[in-house]
Amino acid sequence: MPILVLFANSLVNLLYVSADVAQLGVMTSDYYVGLGLYSVTFGVYVAGQFGSQGHLNPAVTIGFAAFGFFPWSQVMPYLLGQFLGAFVGAALVILHYYPHFKADEGNSVGIFATGPAINNPAFNFLSETIATFVFIFTLLNLGNFTQGLKPLIVGFLIMVVGQALGSTTGFALNPARDFSPRLAYAILPVPNKGGANWAYAWVPVLGPIAGGLLASSLQALLK
């Protein structure tokens, strides 16, 4: 989880600070490639090597457990690792880019957490639910997605979901990936920072969880 957040937030950071101005022209498409193929793929590979089932996402863990695809006894350790890992990843981004944050005024929480293109909480929630449903329903049919080239397939899946469905809300898909970096931004000493937009924070937490539960319920029904 720290690897996912470190890579993902660093990629988004290029849109906000003068770390690499040359990349700004291609980030609208390369962001999805970086988040999927680099962040998620490498995160799943590393997690799998340590004996994890590669759940970097509470929506996956909760959805799987709710319908018998994952033991409830392991849910809390996984959730703790996911949220703490995401916080550590965000803290590393703050440390790595600290001089750039200090040089750029008006740093946005959008470096660390998602936000809607159009602020409509009901439809924003629906967007996150739909995107996460597609993502997790596909995961459920991949089997053990830590093995072989399957982490790469998961990365491509994130990329496709982001390109197709991500423009409305920034496609959190993952409560830990959104909440913990938002919290890190709010409480750690980021220079020139703005507000953390807590009024919106429930959407990228509850929307993905709803999508995960719906996907797992459909899988259980079909099986």
Side-chain angles (χ1 to χ4, degrees), residues 188-216:
L188 295 180
V190 182
N192 301 311
K193 67 181 175 181
N197 193 16
W198 286 112
Y200 177 77
W202 67 273
V203 172
V205 172
L206 298 184
I209 291 174
L213 289 171
L214 288 172
S216 298

Side-chain angles (χ1 to χ4, degrees), residues 3-4 37 42 57 115 156 165 200:
I3 293 174
L4 185 155
L37 296 189
F42 294 158
N57 186 339
F156 275 113
L165 302 170
Y200 177 77

